[in-house]
Amino acid sequence: DIQMTQSPSSLSASVGDRVTITCRASQDIINYLAWFQQKPGKAPKSLIYAASSLQSGVPSKFSGSGSGTDFTLTISSLQPEDFATYYCQQYNSYPLTFGQGTRLEIK
Amino acid sequence: QVQLVESGGGVVQPGRSLRLSCAASGFTFSRYDMLWGRQAPGKGLEWVAFISYDGINKYYADSVKGRFTISRDNSKNTLFLQMDSLRTEDTAVYYCGRSLSFDYWGQGTLVTVSS
């Protein structure tokens, strides 16, 4: 199984900050990586697919990069609605696997 | 717009069965692979099962293999998850999702396995 490791597990930031979350795969997943945002009590929402492609309707303040085993999600100019938990997911091979999540909190 | 609406969750005793449904609308259901995922209380996301657009190919997480069965009815735009021999560790919110990259998620349905 491919293990997905996110860092950091939690992050405190201020409104207006730019933050980066990292996701590392235990083996090459090419670019078969997605990023999700989840708010408490809500379903996850897709942000990025194929490592760097923005889902329709997602603001351009979200961006993804990387290939192979190392990937990043960057959020620029944080707003109050961006404070949530973020997950990465690989879909290169079964079983599909998620990172453990990164909780982004207001400082 | 794409909509996925799960139903069928509830409280069930260990060893019993439950069948979840996911009604899809706003897209051509028969052209898309579909997934089930879940999230235990206070935990992260876990993939459960995959079914190809035509219902031919199916894959399962090891944790549910042999107990859960994914299926679909393309004539009714509906995805199913038959859950047998339920265990307390299956307690979670269950989500249906579209495509391998989960580009759309339903709102989820809570399954509680408890005696």
Side-chain angles (χ1 to χ4, degrees):
Chain A
D1 298 4
I2 298 176
Q3 309 302 319
M4 305 300 292
T5 304
Q6 287 181 232
S7 59
S9 294
S10 64
L11 175 60
S12 293
S14 301
V15 171
D17 283 354
R18 172 187 168 107
V19 298
T20 297
I21 299 169
T22 297
C23 181
R24 175 163 288 175
S26 61
Q27 57 188 271
D28 187 354
I29 59 169
I30 311 175
N31 71 333
Y32 294 106
L33 184 100
W35 288 99
F36 306 96
Q37 177 193 67
Q38 188 178 33
K39 297 180 180 179
K42 300 294 187 182
K45 173 187 174 183
S46 177
L47 301 174
I48 302 279
Y49 65 98
S52 59
S53 297
L54 203 62
Q55 280 291 354
S56 174
V58 174
S60 59
K61 62 189 301 180
F62 294 94
S63 63
S65 66
S67 65
T69 61
D70 294 316
F71 302 86
T72 60
L73 172 71
T74 299
I75 313 169
S76 62
S77 187
L78 282 171
Q79 296 302 305
E81 61 269 21
D82 300 327
F83 292 92
T85 299
Y86 292 85
Y87 294 92
C88 61
Q89 177 231 338
Q90 68 82 18
Y91 52 102
N92 179 70
S93 63
Y94 298 100
L96 309 182
T97 46
F98 290 87
Q100 81 279 14
T102 295
R103 186 173 178 182
L104 177 56
E105 300 174 317
I106 299 177
K107 185 182 290 183
Chain B
Q1 73 283 18
V2 172
Q3 271 202 307
L4 299 170
V5 180
E6 301 94 338
S7 60
V11 181
V12 61
Q13 293 180 325
R16 302 299 290 264
S17 299
L18 209 56
R19 189 193 199 203
L20 305 183
S21 300
C22 170
S25 61
F27 65 102
T28 305
F29 180 71
S30 60
R31 294 183 181 176
Y32 284 86
D33 300 334
M34 297 295 293
L35 305 163
W36 285 98
R38 67 184 180 183
Q39 187 169 36
K43 302 296 185 182
L45 299 169
E46 179 187 17
W47 167 71
V48 171
F50 161 93
I51 187 168
S52 59
Y53 67 97
D54 55 2
I56 292 176
N57 295 304
K58 303 177 184 181
Y59 301 101
Y60 299 92
D62 283 347
S63 57
V64 307
K65 200 174 295 182
R67 300 187 299 121
F68 289 12
T69 303
I70 190 171
S71 62
R72 64 191 296 160
D73 184 339
N74 283 347
S75 69
K76 296 182 178 178
N77 294 342
T78 305
L79 176 72
F80 302 100
L81 185 68
Q82 177 66 40
M83 304 187 295
D84 298 323
S85 302
L86 281 161
R87 304 169 179 169
T88 54
E89 56 264 36
D90 294 319
T91 294
V93 175
Y94 284 74
Y95 296 101
C96 62
R98 191 183 81 165
S99 80
L100 280 176
S101 62
F102 274 107
D103 61 355
Y104 288 92
W105 299 67
Q107 86 289 351
T109 187
L110 176 61
V111 173
T112 302
V113 185
S114 173
S115 54

